Amino acid sequence: MADIAVTEVSKGLRDAIARLETGENMESTGVVTRVGDGVAWVHGLRNAGYAEVLEIQTKQGVVEAFALNLMEDEIGAVLLGSDKDVVAGDPVKLKGVVLEVPVGPELLGRVVNPLGQPLDGGPAITTKENGLVERPAIGVMGRKGVHEPLMTGIVAIDAMFPIGRGQRELIIGDRQTGKTAITLDTMINQGRQKTGVVNIYVAIGQKLSKVARLVERLKQEGVMEQTIVVATGPSDPASLLYLAPYAGAAMGEWFRDNAKHALIIYDDLTKHAVAYRQMSLLLRRPPGREAFPGDVFYLHSRLLERAAKLSDELGAGSLTALPIIETQAGDISAYIPTNVISITDGQIFMETDLFYQGIRPAISAGLSVSRVGGDAQTKSVKSVSGRLKLGLSQFRELAAFAQFGSDLDDATKKQIERGQRLTELLKQPQYSPLSIWEQVASIFAVNEGHFDNVPREKIKDAQAALLAKLAKEHRKEMDALNTGSEKIEADSATGKLLAKVAVAAAKGFEQ
Amino acid sequence: MNGKLSRRKLAQYVASRVQGGHVPEAVLQEVAAYLVESRRVREMPLLVRAIEDALLEHGVVVATVTSARPLDDTLREAVKAQAGGAEVHLREIIDSSVLGGVRLQTPDALFDGTVQHKLQALRAAKV
């Protein structure tokens, strides 16, 4: 072999490299070195990208995985299926894509897993488009302020903590306090009020019996045609639980980006964080507080940032997110709750004590807040809710004195009684969301004192009578009120009409 | 292959195999294969520089001479003396844009005696 002059080293090296780099069409492969707990370690595949899909060729067929740990000489990949068929020595190929799910209107009415495969026994889903599971959120210029209401149909929320389209409102509380019930009512309301908002319910590690019940209810209510359910159960691998909310977000983004409105419910992000902790620990990433990995904040912030109200240039679509967090013994200062509280635009806090006192939905008026929804409230609801909030907060201050009963002056007694009536009014049975005019009329009647002579336990009956009378005799006016554009005052025409009917309705229940 | 060989190590390896101003082609083949395998092909120009630095430590100077016209033997010897070192290898480049004179670039020094450089200096001084 010839020698090369030192002055020609550069050219010599370049030629040698050129001779070696001819294998353009060669497919790179790796090999599984270890596998267990849903994680496979792969040697080779140096050109694998982050979150790229790998295909492991097992004797029983192909098992997919996605690469999450890219190290110098090894890849840590999380399996998307069962690890029981994967053995050390199995060859691994790159699929050449990052994770995608089918998106589009074809998914409506279906129950799918986070990979977009049907779980409802229906036919295979073929969509025109696919959406990236991990996708950066829209930038500043693509957004617009939240200004349209997303009516939940729950008086306490729509009046006191209004939610706007494009908002992220956290629902937080202990187990069995009615968190899912609120989101279910909100979904049902979208169907009843014909808002056209698409519902996406993401069940993360929820009991499949619960999901089945929920789907059944949605079908009964006729809302399933505008709903997509992304379901994962407790027995699914952690990788699927981890992917579920991102897959749901990708499906929601399709509606957002096509000038439609969508509502996405993540039930719940506590289990999501736990699934991610499991994956991270198995991938040998260093544990931090409560053994969660260092990027658990980013895990949720990048997810919730994808909920947005788009600017007019982008079609003015929206994706509203209602994440759910389950607390332990009402502790909202734990790691994951504080993280998600700081990411979202407000929270609805559910209290166990209220729930068992019979105040359902058990929304804590003191700890709940909506930071951007005020702009999104309809005019008519806003005009009656100001006094509702004031009345309730005065009542809370005075409630402690209520036990002294007769020692109080008349004005204080009146405020306490008004507060008790308002609290009574805000109780609402499940599956019965109220439309705008129903909410406005109910709050107006109590606020203006028309129900002051109705005993507390009969407030709900008086409300029902009022609404029935209004629906029967004043349908036209109520349809107009339902648009929400009118400001209701005691001396306006609508105000006078509502007062007249309220007084008449209260008659039958006065003591 | 575990761990990564530093550029300096690679350069020292190549420099140690240099004999009489020549590198065996097999050595370059080895290095090229390593660069391709470890996906470090883009480091090639830097590696060449490092090799010249390493050769300098062994007293071998690889210098680049740029001139407007080909060098004659007397001039070549003078340039070699200027470059210093026990063994000097010249890479000669003919570039008419230097107008006249020579530019001598060694791994650790630059002597610019070209007319182009002097004109540039004058232009800079005038401002």
Side-chain angles (χ1 to χ4, degrees), chain A residues 1-10 12-14 16-17 19-21 43 46-47 72-73, chain B residues 2 18 21-26 28-29 31-33 39 41 44 48 51 55 62 89-91:
Chain A
M1 219 176 259
D3 286 355
I4 289 169
V6 280
T7 51
E8 300 298 327
V9 169
S10 180
L13 263 179
R14 196 171 294 127
I17 288 169
R19 279 198 297 275
L20 286 167
E21 279 187 332
H43 180 83
R46 283 165 176 279
N47 44 350
E72 205 164 37
D73 51 356
Chain B
N2 252 340
V18 170
H22 284 83
V23 196
E25 199 181 337
L28 287 189
Q29 290 279 15
V31 173
R39 306 167 63 80
V41 174
M44 207 270 289
V48 172
I51 291 170
L55 283 171
V62 180
H89 299 277
L90 290 184
R91 190 186 290 128

Side-chain angles (χ1 to χ4, degrees), chain B residues 63-84 88-94 98-104 111 113-115:
Chain B
T64 310
V65 191
T66 314
S67 57
R69 281 178 295 142
L71 302 180
D72 60 24
D73 285 347
T74 350
L75 202 52
R76 194 170 288 125
E77 286 311 311
V79 170
K80 275 190 177 176
Q82 175 80 21
V88 179
H89 299 277
L90 290 184
R91 190 186 290 128
E92 294 176 23
I93 295 174
I94 311 295
V98 301
L99 302 175
V102 290
R103 182 192 297 136
L104 176 66
F111 166 78
T114 59
V115 176

